[in-house]
Amino acid sequence: MPNKASNPYDDILEREYSVTTDIKYKRSLGQFFTPYKISSFMAEWLFLNKESSDMNVLDPAAGFGVFERSVSEQAKLKGTNLKFDLWELDKNIFNKLRTLSAKLKLNATICNKDYLLSDSKENYDCIIANPPYFKHHFIKNKVGIFRKICALANYEFSMQTNIYCWFLIKAICSLNTGGRLAFIIPSEFLNSNYGEKVKSFLLHQPLNVTFINIDFQSNVFSSATTTSVIALIEKRDDSDRVFRFYTIKDISSLGNLSSFLNSKHISIKPDLLNVNEKWKNYFLGHEIKDATGLIRFSEYGRFSRGIATGSNKYFTLSKSEIEKHSIPNDTLLPCITKSSHAKEICFTCECFNDLVNNNKRAFLFDGEKLRGEKTLSYIEYGEHLGINEKYLTRNRKPWYALEKRGISKIWVSVFGRKGLKFIWNMTNCVNLTCFHAFYPSEYGRRYEDIIFIYLNTEFAKELLNREKREYGNGLSKFEPNDINKSYILNFDHIPENTLLHLAHLQKEYIEKKQIESLSEAERIFRAVFQSAQEIHQNQPSLSHPQKSHNAKASRQLALSCCQ
């Protein structure tokens, strides 16, 4: 039986490295390796309808050369001569890449440096990569990379841009007219705030762009909590440009490229794309229609992030820790520190007392409240531990000052695999970052109980799901503004007697956990929305009755599944 390791056209090198190398080390360098099946599919794009006998190829994050193996296979079929420029920062992987390059007899220049900081001015016919993935906080030479790529692209990006986007932007700037690029990257930038600048850059370049969204129930990279998108890009010399959006359920759907590109998808001209929208809504399964009967959630108030302490271990305290340090009650705030501490839909004083009696961290130290001897002693203890030198605390004056947040009646979980978890808070607890908290506007205050039962309906989830950020294995995340920008039913369409009935249903739901109450509320909300849609269809010239929503706003986008 042949030794599989002797076959260079495989991903055994990557799989062996992934098993034998510490995951923390891999994550520190953003190392997540591409399956060979995906690399072959991407390599096919570089040669599609190409007749050139010579091509120069760039891989700015080459790893063990999985793309070079795939591209070489395609080149043999096409009879194309290749010249590779390969970049790999990890010295150990770089040495193995050189060995592999020699084994495959590649015509390759291999550089053991950071591609993002290079001053290379060369342009390429083909660029293919799976760039490293980690958030902007961990980018070395962050400011230098930001300035260099903004200058290269002549475009102002966000400092919060994740590293894989810097690779994509620089690669696009290095692509010849008529050249092709294939990247596999996290889909996060399509739906994030920093990604708005990246999307705007793409729209202003002479590019045809294809995004292939790998369904959110699967992970391409086994050790990364992220969803993936394959970007296939061609630089054009004409104005006939289009963005195409495909969705696949798993990598087994990636067969012959030509056949795949002729499969079902959505095509949109660049001038019809909105960078402020989450582009996941352009993929199949997220078709959008009329928003009559809906308003933006921010009309009723805003969700805000919970309190970030800078060191929960120091600032949050259990009953026994309070006694140990003799901390005065006047410096303590009741708080919720973990989403798992709020198990039920309603968080009561009884729930809080259970946390205290079970010695959970349920109090927040506020050193600004009382400057007595015991308070000063605990502050000095924090300085002895170096808490005052942590990232958040060293930028505060004084370092032990807390972010100011009011008490909120509605909390929502940040992460979840089964959708959002909304909690009705009946205590004086403030919340840390495990929850976002809702603070109603004057207009929204009268609807607060209605808002809560509404948010727990499937109808609300259908609208909210347009704004969520999706990660691998079904994990979803919502930032506060994701909810604030979402649509919500316009409760002004609901008669006063029905509002009173909904308030009664909300009370039954939180006190008795009656699912029937939630189901009845769901039927009411859907009926109100349907009625608003029918009225609008019969009277198309009428604008939205809510004074802050004109006819243009009423034509904005809502999920087709909400009708």
Side-chain angles (χ1 to χ4, degrees):
M1 187 173 180
N3 181 4
K4 193 171 184 180
S6 66
N7 178 13
Y9 300 108
D10 200 343
D11 52 12
I12 192 167
L13 285 172
E14 289 81 3
R15 287 188 280 115
E16 285 181 348
Y17 179 84
S18 295
V19 170
T20 58
T21 305
D22 180 66
I23 191 169
K24 290 182 180 179
Y25 176 78
K26 289 185 292 181
R27 283 180 174 168
S28 72
L29 293 175
Q31 294 175 341
F32 304 103
F33 299 104
T34 311
Y36 191 73
K37 181 178 178 64
I38 290 181
S39 72
S40 295
F41 178 85
M42 292 167 62
E44 193 177 345
W45 164 251
L46 304 183
F47 294 86
L48 187 67
N49 302 323
K50 290 270 189 180
E51 301 299 332
S52 176
S53 58
D54 298 286
M55 294 198 305
N56 62 336
V57 182
L58 168 68
D59 185 342
F64 291 103
V66 68
F67 289 118
E68 288 60 60
R69 288 169 257 162
S70 300
V71 171
S72 296
E73 277 199 302
Q74 288 290 327
K76 287 180 181 178
L77 296 174
K78 296 281 187 177
T80 305
N81 297 316
L82 301 176
K83 167 65 174 70
F84 288 98
D85 279 352
L86 310 179
W87 296 75
E88 176 51 50
L89 190 58
D90 187 308
K91 184 67 176 179
N92 293 327
I93 295 179
F94 167 76
N95 289 330
K96 292 183 179 180
L97 178 63
R98 285 199 304 182
T99 301
L100 180 92
S101 176
K103 187 172 185 178
L104 294 177
K105 299 179 180 179
L106 300 182
N107 178 12
T109 300
I110 308 176
C111 193
N112 183 213
K113 294 181 181 178
D114 189 339
Y115 168 73
L116 294 180
L117 293 172
S118 72
D119 293 317
S120 173
K121 299 292 191 293
E122 186 168 354
N123 283 359
Y124 296 89
D125 304 309
C126 303
I127 305 176
I128 189 167
N130 169 13
Y133 169 53
F134 46 80
K135 294 186 181 296
H136 67 93
H137 314 80
F138 308 110
I139 299 176
K140 295 179 181 178
N141 302 307
K142 176 178 172 178
V143 175
I145 289 171
F146 168 77
R147 290 174 177 169
K148 184 179 283 285
I149 295 181
C150 285
L152 176 67
N154 193 27
Y155 209 86
E156 189 70 24
F157 297 98
S158 166
M159 275 284 285
Q160 280 71 52
T161 302
N162 280 4
I163 194 166
Y164 64 89
C165 288
W166 293 134
F167 276 83
L168 178 64
I169 294 160
K170 184 171 183 179
I172 288 171
C173 294
S174 302
L175 194 61
N176 285 326
T177 299
R180 297 273 181 83
L181 177 151
F183 268 47
I184 182 166
I185 50 180
S187 61
E188 179 189 61
F189 81 101
L190 297 175
N191 311 310
S192 64
N193 294 334
Y194 76 80
E196 292 176 5
K197 290 283 190 179
V198 181
K199 291 184 289 188
S200 179
F201 170 75
L202 293 175
L203 292 178
H204 287 88
Q205 302 304 306
L207 306 173
N208 270 349
V209 179
T210 294
F211 287 123
I212 303 169
N213 184 51
I214 298 175
D215 185 77
F216 299 124
Q217 297 305 311
S218 61
N219 258 355
V220 172
F221 307 113
S222 59
S223 55
T225 307
T226 181
T227 53
S228 305
V229 65
I230 297 172
L232 306 178
I233 295 175
E234 180 183 22
K235 185 169 280 191
R236 309 275 298 189
D237 59 0
D238 57 49
S239 59
D240 186 22
R241 299 168 52 226
V242 69
F243 280 60
R244 296 182 176 89
F245 297 85
Y246 295 78
T247 296
I248 60 171
K249 294 298 180 183
D250 54 61
I251 62 174
S252 65
S253 303
L254 299 175
N256 176 267
L257 176 65
S258 297
S259 299
F260 177 85
L261 294 177
N262 288 321
S263 64
K264 189 177 182 182
H265 65 280
I266 292 175
S267 294
I268 306 177
K269 291 291 185 181
D271 58 349
L272 297 178
L273 287 166
N274 184 351
V275 299
N276 298 315
E277 290 281 340
K278 286 181 166 55
W279 279 14
K280 75 183 183 66
N281 294 315
Y282 295 120
F283 290 101
L284 286 176
H286 296 283
E287 291 89 347
I288 42 186
K289 290 187 178 179
D290 183 31
T292 301
L294 305 172
I295 61 176
R296 292 292 185 183
F297 195 94
S298 55
E299 290 288 323
Y300 293 126
R302 302 186 70 83
F303 274 94
S304 296
R305 172 182 57 75
I307 296 170
T309 66
S311 174
N312 284 359
K313 189 173 182 181
Y314 171 79
F315 283 100
T316 64
L317 299 151
S318 65
K319 183 179 177 181
S320 63
E321 288 169 321
I322 292 168
E323 293 171 352
K324 175 183 175 182
H325 295 282
S326 302
I327 298 174
N329 288 338
D330 289 344
T331 64
L332 299 171
L333 297 172
C335 70
I336 187 88
T337 61
K338 295 182 178 181
S339 61
S340 60
H341 286 177
K343 293 182 172 26
E344 304 294 340
I345 198 165
C346 182
F347 188 75
T348 64
C349 291
E350 184 180 358
C351 298
F352 176 75
N353 289 334
D354 285 344
L355 294 177
V356 175
N357 293 332
N358 286 307
N359 209 37
K360 302 295 185 183
R361 293 178 181 269
F363 295 95
L364 188 62
F365 175 68
D366 185 355
E368 288 189 296
K369 279 200 165 186
L370 184 68
R371 298 301 298 274
E373 180 182 341
K374 296 298 183 181
T375 307
L376 291 173
S377 175
Y378 193 66
I379 290 171
E380 290 170 359
Y381 173 65
E383 291 171 350
H384 172 72
L385 296 175
I387 306 300
N388 57 317
E389 296 297 329
K390 289 184 174 291
Y391 178 75
L392 290 180
T393 54
R394 69 171 178 260
N395 293 306
R396 293 180 186 155
K397 296 189 184 303
W399 67 265
Y400 48 82
L402 294 176
E403 296 176 327
K404 307 306 179 189
R405 294 286 192 278
I407 297 166
S408 167
K409 286 186 177 180
I410 301 176
W411 298 332
V412 61
S413 56
V414 178
F415 285 99
R417 297 192 187 278
K418 298 179 180 179
L420 288 173
K421 171 185 174 183
F422 291 97
I423 305 292
W424 184 256
N425 174 32
M426 298 182 69
T427 72
N428 290 325
C429 288
V430 295
N431 59 289
L432 301 195
T433 54
C434 54
F435 288 111
H436 304 317
F438 177 64
Y439 300 98
S441 63
E442 284 300 315
Y443 170 57
R445 201 176 302 281
R446 69 182 291 249
Y447 291 125
E448 201 162 7
D449 50 355
I450 311 299
I451 290 170
F452 179 74
I453 194 168
Y454 165 84
L455 288 171
N456 281 280
T457 64
E458 291 301 316
F459 177 71
K461 291 173 186 175
E462 289 165 3
L463 290 170
L464 287 167
N465 282 343
R466 285 190 60 227
E467 302 298 333
K468 70 182 178 182
R469 301 165 191 234
E470 294 162 300
Y471 296 81
N473 295 330
L475 183 64
S476 299
K477 180 184 180 182
F478 284 83
E479 296 289 356
N481 276 339
D482 295 336
I483 304 175
N484 298 335
K485 292 191 297 184
S486 69
Y487 284 103
I488 185 173
L489 189 64
N490 186 350
F491 299 138
D492 284 355
H493 291 308
I494 303 177
E496 190 65 31
N497 62 332
T498 307
L499 287 173
L500 291 172
H501 182 54
L502 284 167
H504 174 71
L505 293 174
Q506 187 261 2
K507 188 175 181 181
E508 283 188 337
Y509 180 55
I510 63 171
E511 291 181 355
K512 302 177 184 178
K513 304 181 184 64
Q514 290 190 1
I515 300 302
E516 296 81 4
S517 301
L518 183 63
S519 299
E520 186 175 348
E522 174 106 35
R523 288 192 294 271
I524 292 171
F525 292 134
R526 287 190 182 274
V528 169
F529 178 66
Q530 186 65 38
S531 175
Q533 292 273 300
E534 290 171 356
I535 291 170
H536 178 71
Q537 290 166 7
N538 293 332
Q539 302 177 28
S541 63
L542 291 180
S543 62
H544 198 290
Q546 178 65 26
K547 60 183 174 65
S548 61
H549 299 276
N550 56 24
K552 181 180 178 182
S554 73
R555 290 194 298 269
Q556 289 178 333
L557 307 175
L559 280 177
S560 60
C561 61
C562 292
Q563 296 190 32

